[in-house]
Amino acid sequence: MGIPEGMAKPEEQRLGPVLRRRDQVQSGTTDQRLLDTEGDSEWVHTDPWRVMRIQSEFVEGFGALAELPSAISVFGSARTQPDSPEYEAGVRIGRALVEAGFAVITGGGPGAMEAANKGAREAKGVSVGLGIELPFEQGLNQHVDIGVNFRYFFVRKTMFVKYAQGFVVLPGGLGTLDELFEALTLVQTRKVTRFPIVLFGTEYWKGLVDWLRDSVVAGGKASERDLLLFHVTDDVEEAVALVTKETGK
């Protein structure tokens, strides 16, 4: 598995701390090579060395973020257009979070992530981007002040939760849903406590919320109280008030 079908080979590629451009761009990602079960048995002898690389990613992430002030992670689609209402909402949310005393953490990419980083930067707050190595990597957006690029999704996701006191989730795709449901699971199982999760955009999230209530909860796969693990709003001030109240800030 390399570059997705129909997608041009990128001009720039980040492999953890390594930058490759033009003819030096490689096919595939570190995560793909870790999870690939095909190939010869030489992987048995090299996998232990991957543990060291994984360990180094945790060390680098912890070192970069250990002195971060109270922060909120903001998620959303990389495909959100700069001239859209969703992008403007992201800017306003980033700005409002800084004004409430938080640093802002995003995935560091374009779209909604860039919007939140932009708002945080404009408000003269701490703007953090946690990037990931992907075949179609676009690099960290220009509004990131502290940036860390990761090879492995699971290391990056640990940083999102460890160094944030809550999530604000803008409309997004599969990556956003992955991050949302991981956070919900951690709160539901009490792996983290006092961790508010706010979904921004009632119309966008309505179908998901209805499905959770009418199928998941109604079918006995979750409890009614699990619907209280998150809040849905269209109001920036309310979103910030919810994370502020629940974090005790």
Side-chain angles (χ1 to χ4, degrees):
M1 181 177 181
I3 305 300
E5 186 176 351
M7 183 173 290
K9 188 176 182 180
E11 286 294 312
E12 181 175 301
Q13 178 186 52
R14 292 183 182 274
L15 303 174
V18 178
L19 171 67
R20 290 179 176 270
R21 287 182 172 147
R22 293 171 285 278
D23 292 340
Q24 297 303 312
V25 172
Q26 297 179 341
S27 178
T29 68
T30 310
D31 257 338
Q32 288 173 8
R33 291 187 286 275
L34 171 65
L35 299 175
D36 187 8
T37 56
E38 299 177 358
D40 84 38
S41 60
E42 185 62 22
W43 289 105
V44 173
H45 305 292
T46 59
D47 279 347
W49 291 101
R50 289 202 173 104
V51 174
M52 302 300 291
R53 177 176 282 181
I54 291 166
Q55 178 180 320
S56 75
E57 288 219 333
F58 277 110
V59 171
E60 289 167 0
F62 291 158
L65 304 175
E67 297 180 355
L68 202 65
S70 296
I72 299 295
S73 289
V74 180
F75 299 107
S77 176
R79 303 181 187 187
T80 299
Q81 295 301 307
D83 58 352
S84 68
E86 289 173 10
Y87 188 96
E88 178 56 31
V91 174
R92 291 167 56 211
I93 287 169
R95 185 183 300 124
L97 286 170
V98 167
E99 290 170 352
F102 293 102
V104 172
I105 302 173
T106 79
M113 295 174 281
E114 176 186 288
N117 286 133
K118 179 180 179 181
R121 182 187 174 201
E122 288 178 348
K124 304 188 184 305
V126 181
S127 177
V128 180
L130 307 181
I132 184 69
E133 173 193 324
L134 294 171
F136 42 91
E137 176 66 56
Q138 293 178 283
L140 297 174
N141 69 68
Q142 63 180 334
H143 302 291
V144 169
D145 296 319
I146 300 175
V148 185
N149 277 301
F150 294 93
R151 297 181 179 93
Y152 301 104
F153 266 114
F154 59 87
V155 180
R156 178 184 185 234
K157 288 159 74 174
T158 298
M159 302 300 159
F160 278 132
V161 176
K162 177 172 176 56
Y163 292 103
Q165 280 68 53
F167 285 176
V168 176
V169 189
L170 290 155
L174 298 181
T176 301
L177 291 172
D178 176 43
E179 289 147 352
L180 167 61
F181 277 98
E182 174 145 350
L184 288 171
T185 301
L186 290 171
V187 178
Q188 181 199 48
T189 56
R190 300 184 183 180
K191 293 292 186 180
V192 295
T193 58
R194 295 179 62 84
F195 198 89
I197 300 169
V198 178
L199 308 185
F200 190 88
T202 55
E203 184 61 31
Y204 186 85
W205 296 110
K206 182 180 184 300
L208 176 62
V209 175
D210 288 347
W211 175 74
L212 287 172
R213 183 187 62 244
D214 299 337
S215 295
V216 180
V217 173
K221 305 301 188 295
S223 68
E224 190 74 30
R225 67 176 176 271
D226 289 332
L227 296 177
L228 302 177
L229 298 178
F230 60 87
H231 309 275
V232 187
T233 183
D234 289 315
D235 185 84
V236 171
E237 291 184 1
E238 182 180 14
V240 174
L242 285 166
V243 292
T244 302
K245 177 182 177 182
E246 293 200 27
T247 58
K249 194 168 179 61

Short mmCIF file of all heavy atoms in Angstrom, two decimals, residues 130-193:
data_model
loop_
_atom_site.label_atom_id
_atom_site.label_comp_id
_atom_site.label_asym_id
_atom_site.label_seq_id
_atom_site.Cartn_x
_atom_site.Cartn_y
_atom_site.Cartn_z
N LEU A 130 0.24 18.81 16.14
CA LEU A 130 0.80 17.46 16.23
C LEU A 130 0.56 16.76 14.90
O LEU A 130 -0.53 16.24 14.64
CB LEU A 130 0.14 16.69 17.39
CG LEU A 130 0.17 17.37 18.76
CD1 LEU A 130 -0.48 16.48 19.81
CD2 LEU A 130 1.60 17.72 19.16
N GLY A 131 1.56 16.77 14.04
CA GLY A 131 1.40 16.22 12.70
C GLY A 131 1.59 14.72 12.66
O GLY A 131 2.02 14.08 13.62
N ILE A 132 1.26 14.13 11.50
CA ILE A 132 1.39 12.68 11.31
C ILE A 132 1.94 12.41 9.92
O ILE A 132 1.58 13.07 8.95
CB ILE A 132 0.04 11.96 11.52
CG1 ILE A 132 0.18 10.43 11.42
CG2 ILE A 132 -1.00 12.47 10.55
CD1 ILE A 132 0.95 9.81 12.55
N GLU A 133 2.80 11.44 9.81
CA GLU A 133 3.34 11.00 8.53
C GLU A 133 2.25 10.31 7.71
O GLU A 133 1.66 9.33 8.15
CB GLU A 133 4.49 10.02 8.79
CG GLU A 133 5.06 9.35 7.56
CD GLU A 133 5.94 8.18 7.93
OE1 GLU A 133 6.65 8.27 8.96
OE2 GLU A 133 5.93 7.19 7.21
N LEU A 134 1.96 10.86 6.55
CA LEU A 134 0.94 10.31 5.65
C LEU A 134 1.47 10.34 4.22
O LEU A 134 2.33 11.15 3.89
CB LEU A 134 -0.35 11.14 5.73
CG LEU A 134 -1.13 11.11 7.05
CD1 LEU A 134 -2.25 12.14 7.02
CD2 LEU A 134 -1.70 9.72 7.32
N PRO A 135 0.93 9.47 3.34
CA PRO A 135 1.38 9.48 1.95
C PRO A 135 1.12 10.82 1.27
O PRO A 135 1.84 11.22 0.37
CB PRO A 135 0.54 8.37 1.30
CG PRO A 135 0.11 7.50 2.41
CD PRO A 135 -0.05 8.40 3.59
N PHE A 136 0.07 11.53 1.71
CA PHE A 136 -0.30 12.81 1.11
C PHE A 136 -0.03 13.95 2.07
O PHE A 136 -0.74 14.92 2.14
CB PHE A 136 -1.78 12.81 0.71
CG PHE A 136 -2.69 12.17 1.74
CD1 PHE A 136 -3.26 12.92 2.75
CD2 PHE A 136 -2.94 10.82 1.69
CE1 PHE A 136 -4.08 12.34 3.70
CE2 PHE A 136 -3.78 10.22 2.65
CZ PHE A 136 -4.35 10.98 3.65
N GLU A 137 1.05 13.80 2.85
CA GLU A 137 1.45 14.78 3.87
C GLU A 137 1.54 16.19 3.30
O GLU A 137 2.14 16.42 2.26
CB GLU A 137 2.81 14.38 4.45
CG GLU A 137 3.39 15.35 5.44
CD GLU A 137 2.59 15.44 6.70
OE1 GLU A 137 2.38 14.40 7.34
OE2 GLU A 137 2.16 16.56 7.03
N GLN A 138 0.94 17.13 4.01
CA GLN A 138 1.00 18.53 3.59
C GLN A 138 1.82 19.40 4.53
O GLN A 138 1.99 20.58 4.31
CB GLN A 138 -0.43 19.08 3.47
CG GLN A 138 -1.22 18.44 2.34
CD GLN A 138 -2.63 18.97 2.28
OE1 GLN A 138 -3.49 18.61 3.07
NE2 GLN A 138 -2.88 19.86 1.35
N GLY A 139 2.34 18.80 5.60
CA GLY A 139 3.17 19.55 6.54
C GLY A 139 2.34 20.35 7.52
O GLY A 139 1.12 20.47 7.42
N LEU A 140 3.01 20.90 8.52
CA LEU A 140 2.34 21.69 9.53
C LEU A 140 1.97 23.06 8.96
O LEU A 140 2.73 23.65 8.21
CB LEU A 140 3.25 21.86 10.75
CG LEU A 140 3.61 20.58 11.51
CD1 LEU A 140 4.62 20.87 12.60
CD2 LEU A 140 2.36 19.92 12.11
N ASN A 141 0.80 23.54 9.34
CA ASN A 141 0.36 24.84 8.83
C ASN A 141 1.19 25.98 9.44
O ASN A 141 1.83 25.81 10.48
CB ASN A 141 -1.15 25.04 9.06
CG ASN A 141 -1.51 25.21 10.52
OD1 ASN A 141 -1.17 26.21 11.17
ND2 ASN A 141 -2.20 24.22 11.08
N GLN A 142 1.16 27.11 8.80
CA GLN A 142 2.03 28.24 9.16
C GLN A 142 1.68 28.89 10.50
O GLN A 142 2.46 29.70 11.01
CB GLN A 142 1.95 29.30 8.07
CG GLN A 142 0.56 29.91 7.90
CD GLN A 142 0.50 30.97 6.82
OE1 GLN A 142 1.51 31.59 6.53
NE2 GLN A 142 -0.67 31.16 6.23
N HIS A 143 0.54 28.55 11.08
CA HIS A 143 0.13 29.17 12.33
C HIS A 143 0.55 28.37 13.57
O HIS A 143 0.23 28.75 14.69
CB HIS A 143 -1.39 29.38 12.33
CG HIS A 143 -1.87 30.22 11.19
ND1 HIS A 143 -1.60 31.56 11.09
CD2 HIS A 143 -2.57 29.89 10.07
CE1 HIS A 143 -2.13 32.04 9.98
NE2 HIS A 143 -2.72 31.05 9.34
N VAL A 144 1.23 27.26 13.36
CA VAL A 144 1.73 26.43 14.47
C VAL A 144 3.00 27.04 15.04
O VAL A 144 3.94 27.34 14.30
CB VAL A 144 2.00 24.99 13.98
CG1 VAL A 144 2.76 24.21 15.04
CG2 VAL A 144 0.68 24.30 13.64
N ASP A 145 3.04 27.23 16.36
CA ASP A 145 4.23 27.74 17.04
C ASP A 145 5.09 26.61 17.60
O ASP A 145 6.31 26.69 17.60
CB ASP A 145 3.83 28.68 18.18
CG ASP A 145 3.12 29.92 17.69
OD1 ASP A 145 3.57 30.47 16.66
OD2 ASP A 145 2.13 30.34 18.30
N ILE A 146 4.44 25.56 18.12
CA ILE A 146 5.14 24.36 18.59
C ILE A 146 4.61 23.20 17.76
O ILE A 146 3.41 22.88 17.81
CB ILE A 146 4.88 24.09 20.08
CG1 ILE A 146 5.37 25.26 20.94
CG2 ILE A 146 5.57 22.79 20.51
CD1 ILE A 146 5.03 25.09 22.41
N GLY A 147 5.47 22.58 17.00
CA GLY A 147 5.05 21.48 16.14
C GLY A 147 5.85 20.22 16.39
O GLY A 147 7.07 20.27 16.57
N VAL A 148 5.15 19.09 16.42
CA VAL A 148 5.80 17.78 16.55
C VAL A 148 5.22 16.88 15.48
O VAL A 148 4.00 16.75 15.38
CB VAL A 148 5.56 17.15 17.95
CG1 VAL A 148 6.36 15.85 18.07
CG2 VAL A 148 5.93 18.11 19.06
N ASN A 149 6.07 16.26 14.67
CA ASN A 149 5.62 15.32 13.65
C ASN A 149 5.82 13.89 14.15
O ASN A 149 6.91 13.54 14.62
CB ASN A 149 6.41 15.52 12.36
CG ASN A 149 5.84 16.64 11.51
OD1 ASN A 149 4.69 16.60 11.12
ND2 ASN A 149 6.65 17.66 11.26
N PHE A 150 4.79 13.07 14.02
CA PHE A 150 4.83 11.70 14.51
C PHE A 150 4.78 10.71 13.35
O PHE A 150 4.18 10.96 12.32
CB PHE A 150 3.65 11.43 15.45
CG PHE A 150 3.72 12.22 16.73
CD1 PHE A 150 3.08 13.45 16.84
CD2 PHE A 150 4.43 11.76 17.81
CE1 PHE A 150 3.14 14.20 18.00
CE2 PHE A 150 4.52 12.49 18.98
CZ PHE A 150 3.87 13.72 19.08
N ARG A 151 5.40 9.57 13.57
CA ARG A 151 5.30 8.47 12.60
C ARG A 151 4.07 7.61 12.91
O ARG A 151 3.43 7.09 12.00
CB ARG A 151 6.54 7.58 12.68
CG ARG A 151 7.85 8.26 12.32
CD ARG A 151 8.99 7.24 12.41
NE ARG A 151 10.27 7.83 12.05
CZ ARG A 151 11.12 8.36 12.91
NH1 ARG A 151 10.81 8.43 14.20
NH2 ARG A 151 12.27 8.85 12.51
N TYR A 152 3.77 7.44 14.19
CA TYR A 152 2.75 6.47 14.61
C TYR A 152 1.51 7.17 15.15
O TYR A 152 1.59 8.03 16.03
CB TYR A 152 3.32 5.53 15.68
CG TYR A 152 4.53 4.76 15.19
CD1 TYR A 152 5.81 5.12 15.60
CD2 TYR A 152 4.39 3.69 14.31
CE1 TYR A 152 6.93 4.42 15.15
CE2 TYR A 152 5.50 2.99 13.86
CZ TYR A 152 6.77 3.36 14.28
OH TYR A 152 7.86 2.68 13.83
N PHE A 153 0.35 6.75 14.64
CA PHE A 153 -0.89 7.34 15.07
C PHE A 153 -1.11 7.19 16.58
O PHE A 153 -1.59 8.10 17.25
CB PHE A 153 -2.08 6.70 14.34
CG PHE A 153 -2.50 7.43 13.10
CD1 PHE A 153 -2.37 6.86 11.86
CD2 PHE A 153 -3.07 8.70 13.19
CE1 PHE A 153 -2.77 7.54 10.71
CE2 PHE A 153 -3.47 9.39 12.05
CZ PHE A 153 -3.32 8.80 10.80
N PHE A 154 -0.80 6.02 17.12
CA PHE A 154 -1.13 5.79 18.53
C PHE A 154 -0.31 6.67 19.47
O PHE A 154 -0.79 7.05 20.54
CB PHE A 154 -1.01 4.30 18.91
CG PHE A 154 0.36 3.70 18.69
CD1 PHE A 154 1.33 3.78 19.67
CD2 PHE A 154 0.64 3.02 17.52
CE1 PHE A 154 2.58 3.21 19.48
CE2 PHE A 154 1.89 2.44 17.31
CZ PHE A 154 2.87 2.53 18.29
N VAL A 155 0.93 7.01 19.07
CA VAL A 155 1.73 7.92 19.89
C VAL A 155 1.12 9.32 19.84
O VAL A 155 0.95 9.98 20.87
CB VAL A 155 3.19 7.96 19.40
CG1 VAL A 155 4.00 8.92 20.26
CG2 VAL A 155 3.81 6.57 19.43
N ARG A 156 0.79 9.76 18.64
CA ARG A 156 0.18 11.08 18.46
C ARG A 156 -1.12 11.20 19.24
O ARG A 156 -1.37 12.22 19.90
CB ARG A 156 -0.07 11.30 16.97
CG ARG A 156 -0.74 12.61 16.59
CD ARG A 156 -0.98 12.56 15.10
NE ARG A 156 -1.51 13.77 14.52
CZ ARG A 156 -2.61 13.80 13.79
NH1 ARG A 156 -3.32 12.70 13.60
NH2 ARG A 156 -3.02 14.93 13.25
N LYS A 157 -1.95 10.18 19.20
CA LYS A 157 -3.24 10.23 19.89
C LYS A 157 -3.07 10.29 21.40
O LYS A 157 -3.87 10.93 22.10
CB LYS A 157 -4.10 9.03 19.47
CG LYS A 157 -4.62 9.16 18.04
CD LYS A 157 -5.03 7.83 17.44
CE LYS A 157 -6.32 7.34 17.99
NZ LYS A 157 -6.78 6.12 17.30
N THR A 158 -2.01 9.65 21.90
CA THR A 158 -1.72 9.76 23.34
C THR A 158 -1.43 11.20 23.71
O THR A 158 -1.89 11.69 24.75
CB THR A 158 -0.51 8.87 23.70
OG1 THR A 158 -0.83 7.50 23.44
CG2 THR A 158 -0.14 9.03 25.18
N MET A 159 -0.69 11.92 22.86
CA MET A 159 -0.34 13.31 23.15
C MET A 159 -1.58 14.20 23.15
O MET A 159 -1.70 15.13 23.97
CB MET A 159 0.67 13.83 22.13
CG MET A 159 1.95 13.05 22.06
SD MET A 159 2.86 13.00 23.63
CE MET A 159 3.90 11.55 23.35
N PHE A 160 -2.52 13.95 22.23
CA PHE A 160 -3.75 14.74 22.18
C PHE A 160 -4.49 14.69 23.51
O PHE A 160 -5.04 15.68 23.98
CB PHE A 160 -4.68 14.20 21.09
CG PHE A 160 -4.36 14.69 19.71
CD1 PHE A 160 -4.29 13.81 18.65
CD2 PHE A 160 -4.15 16.04 19.45
CE1 PHE A 160 -4.01 14.25 17.36
CE2 PHE A 160 -3.87 16.50 18.17
CZ PHE A 160 -3.80 15.59 17.12
N VAL A 161 -4.52 13.51 24.12
CA VAL A 161 -5.29 13.34 25.36
C VAL A 161 -4.46 13.74 26.58
O VAL A 161 -4.94 14.44 27.48
CB VAL A 161 -5.77 11.89 25.51
CG1 VAL A 161 -6.48 11.69 26.84
CG2 VAL A 161 -6.70 11.52 24.36
N LYS A 162 -3.19 13.34 26.60
CA LYS A 162 -2.36 13.59 27.79
C LYS A 162 -2.19 15.07 28.08
O LYS A 162 -2.21 15.49 29.24
CB LYS A 162 -0.98 12.93 27.61
CG LYS A 162 -0.04 13.21 28.78
CD LYS A 162 1.23 12.40 28.67
CE LYS A 162 2.22 12.74 29.78
NZ LYS A 162 1.66 12.57 31.13
N TYR A 163 -2.04 15.89 27.03
CA TYR A 163 -1.74 17.29 27.24
C TYR A 163 -2.93 18.21 27.01
O TYR A 163 -2.77 19.42 26.89
CB TYR A 163 -0.55 17.70 26.37
CG TYR A 163 0.72 17.03 26.86
CD1 TYR A 163 1.24 15.94 26.19
CD2 TYR A 163 1.34 17.45 28.03
CE1 TYR A 163 2.39 15.29 26.67
CE2 TYR A 163 2.47 16.82 28.52
CZ TYR A 163 2.99 15.74 27.83
OH TYR A 163 4.11 15.11 28.32
N ALA A 164 -4.13 17.65 26.94
CA ALA A 164 -5.35 18.46 26.80
C ALA A 164 -6.29 18.20 27.96
O ALA A 164 -6.31 17.10 28.52
CB ALA A 164 -6.04 18.16 25.47
N GLN A 165 -7.06 19.22 28.29
CA GLN A 165 -8.07 19.09 29.34
C GLN A 165 -9.47 18.89 28.75
O GLN A 165 -10.43 18.77 29.49
CB GLN A 165 -8.06 20.33 30.24
CG GLN A 165 -6.94 20.35 31.28
CD GLN A 165 -5.56 20.49 30.67
OE1 GLN A 165 -5.31 21.41 29.89
NE2 GLN A 165 -4.67 19.58 30.99
N GLY A 166 -9.58 18.85 27.43
CA GLY A 166 -10.87 18.65 26.78
C GLY A 166 -10.74 18.74 25.28
O GLY A 166 -9.67 19.10 24.76
N PHE A 167 -11.80 18.35 24.57
CA PHE A 167 -11.83 18.38 23.12
C PHE A 167 -12.96 19.28 22.63
O PHE A 167 -14.06 19.26 23.18
CB PHE A 167 -12.10 16.99 22.54
CG PHE A 167 -10.94 16.03 22.58
CD1 PHE A 167 -11.12 14.72 22.16
CD2 PHE A 167 -9.69 16.41 23.03
CE1 PHE A 167 -10.07 13.81 22.18
CE2 PHE A 167 -8.63 15.51 23.06
CZ PHE A 167 -8.83 14.20 22.63
N VAL A 168 -12.68 20.04 21.57
CA VAL A 168 -13.74 20.68 20.80
C VAL A 168 -13.64 20.09 19.40
O VAL A 168 -12.57 20.12 18.78
CB VAL A 168 -13.57 22.22 20.74
CG1 VAL A 168 -14.65 22.82 19.83
CG2 VAL A 168 -13.68 22.82 22.14
N VAL A 169 -14.75 19.51 18.92
CA VAL A 169 -14.72 18.76 17.68
C VAL A 169 -15.58 19.46 16.62
O VAL A 169 -16.81 19.51 16.74
CB VAL A 169 -15.22 17.32 17.89
CG1 VAL A 169 -14.97 16.48 16.63
CG2 VAL A 169 -14.53 16.68 19.09
N LEU A 170 -14.92 19.99 15.61
CA LEU A 170 -15.60 20.60 14.48
C LEU A 170 -15.98 19.52 13.46
O LEU A 170 -15.47 18.39 13.53
CB LEU A 170 -14.68 21.63 13.83
CG LEU A 170 -14.41 22.89 14.66
CD1 LEU A 170 -13.08 23.51 14.26
CD2 LEU A 170 -15.53 23.89 14.47
N PRO A 171 -16.87 19.82 12.51
CA PRO A 171 -17.22 18.83 11.49
C PRO A 171 -15.98 18.26 10.82
O PRO A 171 -15.07 18.99 10.42
CB PRO A 171 -18.08 19.63 10.50
CG PRO A 171 -18.75 20.66 11.37
CD PRO A 171 -17.68 21.06 12.35
N GLY A 172 -15.94 16.94 10.72
CA GLY A 172 -14.77 16.29 10.14
C GLY A 172 -15.10 14.91 9.61
O GLY A 172 -16.24 14.45 9.69
N GLY A 173 -14.08 14.24 9.09
CA GLY A 173 -14.25 12.93 8.48
C GLY A 173 -13.80 11.79 9.38
O GLY A 173 -13.94 11.86 10.60
N LEU A 174 -13.23 10.75 8.76
CA LEU A 174 -12.91 9.54 9.50
C LEU A 174 -11.87 9.77 10.59
O LEU A 174 -11.98 9.22 11.69
CB LEU A 174 -12.42 8.46 8.53
CG LEU A 174 -13.42 7.99 7.47
CD1 LEU A 174 -12.80 6.92 6.59
CD2 LEU A 174 -14.70 7.49 8.11
N GLY A 175 -10.87 10.60 10.31
CA GLY A 175 -9.86 10.87 11.33
C GLY A 175 -10.45 11.59 12.53
O GLY A 175 -10.12 11.28 13.68
N THR A 176 -11.33 12.53 12.25
CA THR A 176 -12.00 13.27 13.34
C THR A 176 -12.87 12.32 14.15
O THR A 176 -12.88 12.39 15.40
CB THR A 176 -12.84 14.41 12.75
OG1 THR A 176 -12.00 15.28 12.01
CG2 THR A 176 -13.55 15.20 13.85
N LEU A 177 -13.60 11.44 13.48
CA LEU A 177 -14.45 10.48 14.18
C LEU A 177 -13.61 9.53 15.03
O LEU A 177 -14.00 9.17 16.16
CB LEU A 177 -15.30 9.69 13.19
CG LEU A 177 -16.39 10.48 12.47
CD1 LEU A 177 -17.01 9.62 11.37
CD2 LEU A 177 -17.46 10.96 13.44
N ASP A 178 -12.47 9.13 14.51
CA ASP A 178 -11.57 8.25 15.26
C ASP A 178 -11.14 8.91 16.57
O ASP A 178 -11.21 8.31 17.65
CB ASP A 178 -10.36 7.94 14.39
CG ASP A 178 -9.31 7.09 15.11
OD1 ASP A 178 -9.69 6.13 15.79
OD2 ASP A 178 -8.11 7.40 14.98
N GLU A 179 -10.73 10.16 16.48
CA GLU A 179 -10.28 10.88 17.67
C GLU A 179 -11.43 11.11 18.64
O GLU A 179 -11.28 11.00 19.86
CB GLU A 179 -9.65 12.21 17.23
CG GLU A 179 -8.30 12.00 16.55
CD GLU A 179 -8.00 13.01 15.45
OE1 GLU A 179 -8.89 13.82 15.09
OE2 GLU A 179 -6.87 12.99 14.93
N LEU A 180 -12.62 11.42 18.10
CA LEU A 180 -13.80 11.64 18.93
C LEU A 180 -14.15 10.38 19.71
O LEU A 180 -14.34 10.42 20.94
CB LEU A 180 -14.98 12.07 18.06
CG LEU A 180 -16.36 12.04 18.73
CD1 LEU A 180 -16.42 12.97 19.93
CD2 LEU A 180 -17.45 12.38 17.72
N PHE A 181 -14.25 9.24 19.02
CA PHE A 181 -14.69 8.02 19.70
C PHE A 181 -13.63 7.48 20.64
O PHE A 181 -13.96 6.85 21.65
CB PHE A 181 -15.12 6.97 18.68
CG PHE A 181 -16.54 7.17 18.22
CD1 PHE A 181 -16.82 7.82 17.04
CD2 PHE A 181 -17.61 6.75 19.02
CE1 PHE A 181 -18.13 8.04 16.63
CE2 PHE A 181 -18.92 6.96 18.62
CZ PHE A 181 -19.18 7.61 17.41
N GLU A 182 -12.36 7.72 20.35
CA GLU A 182 -11.34 7.33 21.31
C GLU A 182 -11.50 8.12 22.60
O GLU A 182 -11.41 7.57 23.71
CB GLU A 182 -9.94 7.54 20.74
CG GLU A 182 -8.85 7.29 21.76
CD GLU A 182 -7.60 6.66 21.15
OE1 GLU A 182 -7.64 6.26 19.99
OE2 GLU A 182 -6.60 6.58 21.87
N ALA A 183 -11.75 9.43 22.48
CA ALA A 183 -11.94 10.26 23.67
C ALA A 183 -13.18 9.82 24.44
O ALA A 183 -13.16 9.71 25.68
CB ALA A 183 -12.07 11.73 23.27
N LEU A 184 -14.28 9.55 23.73
CA LEU A 184 -15.50 9.09 24.39
C LEU A 184 -15.26 7.79 25.13
O LEU A 184 -15.76 7.59 26.26
CB LEU A 184 -16.62 8.92 23.36
CG LEU A 184 -17.22 10.20 22.77
CD1 LEU A 184 -18.16 9.87 21.62
CD2 LEU A 184 -17.96 11.00 23.85
N THR A 185 -14.51 6.88 24.53
CA THR A 185 -14.22 5.60 25.17
C THR A 185 -13.39 5.79 26.43
O THR A 185 -13.65 5.16 27.47
CB THR A 185 -13.48 4.67 24.20
OG1 THR A 185 -14.28 4.46 23.05
CG2 THR A 185 -13.18 3.33 24.84
N LEU A 186 -12.40 6.68 26.37
CA LEU A 186 -11.56 6.93 27.54
C LEU A 186 -12.36 7.52 28.69
O LEU A 186 -12.15 7.19 29.86
CB LEU A 186 -10.40 7.86 27.17
CG LEU A 186 -9.33 7.26 26.26
CD1 LEU A 186 -8.37 8.35 25.79
CD2 LEU A 186 -8.58 6.14 26.96
N VAL A 187 -13.31 8.41 28.37
CA VAL A 187 -14.15 9.00 29.41
C VAL A 187 -15.14 7.97 29.94
O VAL A 187 -15.34 7.84 31.15
CB VAL A 187 -14.89 10.24 28.88
CG1 VAL A 187 -15.81 10.81 29.96
CG2 VAL A 187 -13.89 11.31 28.44
N GLN A 188 -15.76 7.23 29.03
CA GLN A 188 -16.75 6.21 29.44
C GLN A 188 -16.12 5.18 30.37
O GLN A 188 -16.74 4.75 31.36
CB GLN A 188 -17.31 5.51 28.20
CG GLN A 188 -18.37 4.46 28.52
CD GLN A 188 -18.56 3.49 27.37
OE1 GLN A 188 -17.59 2.96 26.83
NE2 GLN A 188 -19.81 3.26 26.98
N THR A 189 -14.90 4.76 30.08
CA THR A 189 -14.23 3.74 30.89
C THR A 189 -13.44 4.34 32.05
O THR A 189 -12.74 3.63 32.76
CB THR A 189 -13.28 2.91 30.00
OG1 THR A 189 -12.34 3.78 29.35
CG2 THR A 189 -14.06 2.15 28.94
N ARG A 190 -13.54 5.66 32.21
CA ARG A 190 -12.90 6.39 33.30
C ARG A 190 -11.38 6.29 33.28
O ARG A 190 -10.72 6.36 34.33
CB ARG A 190 -13.46 5.93 34.65
CG ARG A 190 -14.96 6.16 34.77
CD ARG A 190 -15.50 5.82 36.13
NE ARG A 190 -16.95 5.99 36.16
CZ ARG A 190 -17.71 5.78 37.23
NH1 ARG A 190 -17.15 5.36 38.36
NH2 ARG A 190 -19.01 5.96 37.17
N LYS A 191 -10.84 6.15 32.08
CA LYS A 191 -9.39 6.24 31.95
C LYS A 191 -8.94 7.69 32.10
O LYS A 191 -7.81 7.95 32.48
CB LYS A 191 -8.95 5.70 30.58
CG LYS A 191 -9.18 4.21 30.40
CD LYS A 191 -8.28 3.39 31.30
CE LYS A 191 -8.42 1.91 31.01
NZ LYS A 191 -7.52 1.10 31.88
N VAL A 192 -9.82 8.62 31.74
CA VAL A 192 -9.60 10.03 32.01
C VAL A 192 -10.84 10.58 32.70
O VAL A 192 -11.95 10.08 32.49
CB VAL A 192 -9.31 10.84 30.72
CG1 VAL A 192 -8.01 10.40 30.09
CG2 VAL A 192 -10.45 10.73 29.73
N THR A 193 -10.65 11.57 33.54
CA THR A 193 -11.78 12.16 34.26
C THR A 193 -11.80 13.66 34.01
O THR A 193 -10.81 14.25 33.57
CB THR A 193 -11.66 11.89 35.77
OG1 THR A 193 -10.41 12.44 36.24
CG2 THR A 193 -11.70 10.40 36.07
#
